Amino acid sequence: MSERQKTLPLERYMRVAEVVAASHQSVGLTEIAVLTGLPKPTVHRLINALVDTGILEADGAHYKSFTVGRRLWRILYLGLDRDKVAGYAQIVCDDLAKEFKETCYMVRLGQRHVRAIARSAPDQGHRLHVLPGAELPPHAASSAKAILAYQDGETLDRLLPDPLPALTEHTITSRADLEVDLARVRETGYAICDREIDDNVMAYACPIHLAGAGVLYSLGVTGPCSRLRQIPTEELVAALKQGASRFADMLGAVAG
Amino acid sequence: MSERQKTLPLERYMRVAEVVAASHQSVGLTEIAVLTGLPKPTVHRLINALVDTGILEADGAHYKSFTVGRRLWRILYLGLDRDKVAGYAQIVCDDLAKEFKETCYMVRLGQRHVRAIARSAPDQGHRLHVLPGAELPPHAASSAKAILAYQDGETLDRLLPDPLPALTEHTITSRADLEVDLARVRETGYAICDREIDDNVMAYACPIHLAGAGVLYSLGVTGPCSRLRQIPTEELVAALKQGASRFADMLGAVAG
DNA sequence: AAGGTTGTTTCGTTTATTGAAACTTTGTTC
DNA sequence: GAACAAAGTTTCAATAAACGAAACAACCTT
């Protein structure tokens, strides 16, 4: 019976966000105040909170104009229909697996884990253990590292166990060493897992950059060292990067 | 010097939204409480507010699971890069214009107006006055009506002038008559403008339904009555609807 | 330097948020 | 079907944030 009559504070935040998103060009504070019908000081405070939270971003020199921020993009990308996304991921993995005759997989950043969402194994050859739905060791898997390299400290803390368990003798077990490796990923644009999970198994992975939302997915290839080492790294990485940007286009045809 | 240390209420709203968006399956209240580290009653209230605002949506029978809501999708679509969207719109218009040899255009819902974002005129023949950037009379243009038919009352109030100016003798000038016309649009799936803006000029338009976000765009054809009447309505409407869903796919390949 | 515009701070009042505790509902087990 | 557990909901007093009028500062114009 008693409907919500009072406007929640959250409601006004959203109204401001909508006006900013909907406006034809970037909008200033006064214009937002007019469009929303809210008093200027109120809008000022709302905008500041929205910017602090990452929902909006200021892009003018003197705090004059605002656009949709990373945080919001992130939520939207993460909220996408899982089956559809997995479908796209599968297509990309299949093509890549066919090209290299090795197991390819795509991985997604979750709340407290990194998880495979698609996998394609070549018909012949070993079935490797990256199954869709499987969690990957964040400090060892190349696919996980490709994502972690682009997350903030807080996210890293949430994802990385302490201490980092040694899965093989090659596993990176110190946080400092891992940070160095992640810095290398950012420099080169790809991550390697060289016998860090299993002896004789290695993997390459590239981050998938989504416009506005940073890195939430990665695309990887894995296989026995003996076979993978025969493929020139540049060739493999180039194919991964191409697959990554293809997937980003599938999702992000939409984004700025 | 004094950074924001206290977490804003908005920050917690966003954290809940993120957890819901990021979680692999749909999440319940208790799980959200665990993942965010917030007390259960707090999460309960936050979720309710988020659902009331349309940021999240409950999809379980008994309020058990949540997904990203319409309101958020809407912001995403509205915040899209304008040039890219206009590019897609242009492609669709060009193809349609070529098919019917009449002027085709796409129109977008703004904060207080309906505006053309793309237009394609056939090489030969009249140049009609729908130019990109032009505002359209919301109570007369078929393209505007195709959008208005799917907006809530508040949005209608914001967009429609009072009184509705008579542009020709055929213009609908009463709000009640307009509502009837809009109801017809919802039934048939297309809008007509029959000499309501100019004598001897008519137009057809179809709404573009975006997954989760409702109708924010429409696609239309316009031309002199003499020529347009010669094309079977069903054929024209079918082509418009196809173009509309093609555009929706371009933008919304991404949406649930 | 006067006049308009836009963005910012202050501050007392009002209102929402917060979370422990107690409670209700729903689902499971024996 | 009673007993138990788990998930969701309500209550409520202390606390914190939102609110917006007014007054202020910065920035363009002319």
Side-chain angles (χ1 to χ4, degrees), chain B residues 213-231:
Chain B
V215 176
L216 298 171
Y217 299 87
S218 71
L219 176 64
V221 191
T222 185
C225 295
S226 53
R227 285 212 308 268
L228 270 198
R229 288 209 204 282
Q230 288 172 8
I231 306 172

Side-chain angles (χ1 to χ4, degrees), chain B residues 76-146:
Chain B
L76 165 73
Y77 284 116
L78 288 173
L80 297 182
D81 183 61
R82 284 167 217 302
D83 295 337
K84 236 175 201 170
V85 173
Y88 292 134
Q90 191 63 51
I91 295 170
V92 173
C93 288
D94 285 346
D95 288 358
L96 205 64
K98 197 176 287 178
E99 184 176 349
F100 289 105
K101 301 223 168 26
E102 294 292 352
T103 301
C104 295
Y105 53 101
M106 199 171 288
V107 153
R108 174 185 183 270
L109 175 64
Q111 196 61 30
R112 7 189 50 144
H113 43 245
V114 174
R115 177 170 280 159
I117 58 164
R119 183 208 62 156
S120 187
D123 298 337
Q124 77 273 42
H126 316 235
R127 284 279 157 95
L128 286 178
H129 36 248
V130 184
L131 291 168
E135 282 188 30
L136 289 103
H139 63 304
S142 60
S143 49
K145 291 193 286 188

Side-chain angles (χ1 to χ4, degrees), chain A residues 18 23 71 73 78 251 254, chain B residues 18 71 76 80 251 254:
Chain A
E18 270 170 344
S23 64
R71 188 89 174 269
W73 284 114
L78 287 173
L251 290 194
V254 106
Chain B
E18 271 170 344
R71 190 86 174 272
L76 165 73
L80 297 182
L251 290 193
V254 107

